[in-house]
């Protein structure tokens, strides 16, 4: 038997023999009905908001292309086969792209992603000699059980226009490896500086070339020269995430 919930919350008549409902009772009935209408509307609103959040957190995965949508303020907006892309055409977007290029090369050198995907997504159509050499060195790698991650300690935008940017990244690379498969783990760190030239091509920042050098170590960088990358204005607001 169906139950009618429309009158839930209304007050029953004070006497079964009373033929009319008092003014107070009639007002209470209306108040109860309005209250449930309001609560119902609030519940629907909450469901709508939760649905939007769930859809957003689902990542908008593209089952056919192997890509996942993400929503970083200045990019990336998409990760395709482990390679991020989609950056804003500003200094923050260029800085993020430069850092991600370094990190993508690390992942490719471990065989976790394909350098061909890095090449087609993050590299300019005609890369410079040094960057082309790094692409060749990182290609066709078997997946390694070692772990190597590069984190930017400081990022400096040396020059910027809507079509090109020069970004200097002072980074720390941490490597964890099994020594000769003995089960003994070794961890090492390396400080380095990479100057990355970016151009705006095909609607995104692409690495054109780079220059790599080791150092400086933190103890040597406490008082940087005014005309050095570390002595200039550094990019703030850095966050990071993992991609499996």
């Amino acid at each position: 038997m169906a139950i009618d919930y429309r009158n839930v919350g209304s007050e029953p008549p004070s006497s079964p023999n009373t033929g009319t409902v008092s003014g107070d009772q009639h007002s209470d009935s209306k108040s109860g009905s309005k209250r449930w209408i309001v609560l119902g509307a609030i519940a629907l609103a909450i469901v709508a908001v939760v649905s939007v959040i769930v859809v957003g957190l689902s990542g908008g995965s593209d089952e056919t292309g192997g890509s996942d949508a993400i929503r970083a303020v200045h990019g990336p907006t998409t990760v395709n086969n482990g390679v991020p892309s989609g950056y804003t055409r500003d200094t923050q977007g260029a800085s993020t792209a430069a850092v991600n290029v370094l990190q993508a090369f690390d992942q490719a050198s471990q065989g976790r992603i394909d350098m061909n995907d890095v090449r087609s997504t993050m590299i300019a159509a005609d890369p410079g000699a040094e960057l082309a050499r790094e692409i060749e060195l990182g290609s066709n790698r078997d997946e390694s059980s070692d772990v190597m991650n590069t984190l930017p300690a400081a990022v400096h935008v040396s020059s910027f226009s809507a079509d090109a940017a020069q970004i200097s990244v002072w980074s720390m690379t941490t490597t964890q490896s099994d020594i000769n498969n003995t089960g003994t783990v070794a961890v090492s760190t390396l400080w380095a500086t990479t100057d990355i030239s970016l151009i705006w091509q095909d609607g995104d920042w692409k690495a054109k070339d780079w220059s790599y050098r080791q150092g400086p170590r933190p103890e040597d960088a406490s008082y940087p020269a005014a005309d050095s990358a570390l002595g200039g204005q550094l990019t703030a607001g850095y966050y990071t995430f993992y991609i499996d």
Side-chain angles (χ1 to χ4, degrees):
M1 177 178 178
I3 301 175
D4 188 353
Y5 291 97
R6 290 175 297 177
N7 296 321
V8 173
S10 61
E11 297 293 335
S14 57
S15 171
N17 296 324
T18 303
T20 61
V21 179
S22 67
D24 290 343
Q25 290 172 332
H26 186 63
S27 176
D28 288 344
S29 176
K30 284 186 175 181
S31 297
S33 298
K34 289 180 180 178
R35 182 173 66 252
W36 284 102
I37 291 173
V38 171
L39 290 176
I42 293 173
L44 289 174
I46 292 173
V47 169
V49 170
V50 171
S51 298
V52 170
I53 293 173
V54 169
V55 170
L57 292 177
S58 66
S61 178
D62 181 358
E63 295 179 358
T64 59
S67 64
D68 293 306
I70 54 180
R71 293 170 177 83
V73 176
H74 295 281
T77 58
T78 303
V79 176
N80 188 25
N81 295 328
V83 181
S85 63
Y87 303 92
T88 53
R89 201 171 186 176
D90 52 24
T91 56
Q92 294 86 352
S95 298
T96 307
V99 171
N100 287 168
V101 167
L102 283 178
Q103 295 169 329
F105 269 74
D106 281 353
Q107 301 305 309
S109 69
Q110 297 173 76
R112 297 190 68 244
I113 60 177
D114 193 330
M115 181 60 82
N116 289 327
D117 292 327
V118 177
R119 174 71 177 84
S120 62
T121 303
M122 308 185 81
I123 309 301
D126 53 344
E130 190 165 349
L131 185 57
R133 183 175 65 86
E134 292 296 327
I135 293 172
E136 183 178 356
L137 290 174
S139 298
N140 303 316
R141 295 292 188 93
D142 294 329
E143 186 169 359
S144 172
S145 59
D146 295 345
V147 176
M148 181 168 64
N149 288 317
T150 294
L151 297 176
V155 176
H156 172 68
V157 181
S158 304
S159 64
F160 178 83
S161 71
D163 298 316
Q166 185 75 20
I167 311 295
S168 180
V169 182
W170 182 44
S171 62
M172 181 190 73
T173 298
T174 301
T175 303
Q176 182 196 60
S177 57
D178 187 343
I179 302 176
N180 298 323
N181 297 319
T182 61
T184 301
V185 172
V187 174
S188 62
T189 58
L190 174 67
W191 291 87
T193 302
T194 308
D195 298 320
I196 304 177
S197 300
L198 301 171
I199 61 172
W200 186 262
Q201 189 175 83
D202 298 330
D204 208 356
W205 290 113
K206 309 283 187 177
K208 173 72 174 178
D209 206 356
W210 76 11
S211 174
Y212 172 89
R213 60 190 180 277
Q214 292 188 17
R217 297 173 301 177
E219 57 268 28
D220 299 327
S222 299
Y223 302 99
D227 59 350
S228 68
L230 290 178
Q233 178 63 50
L234 300 180
T235 303
Y238 174 74
Y239 285 84
T240 190
F241 54 88
Y242 286 93
I243 299 174
D244 290 329

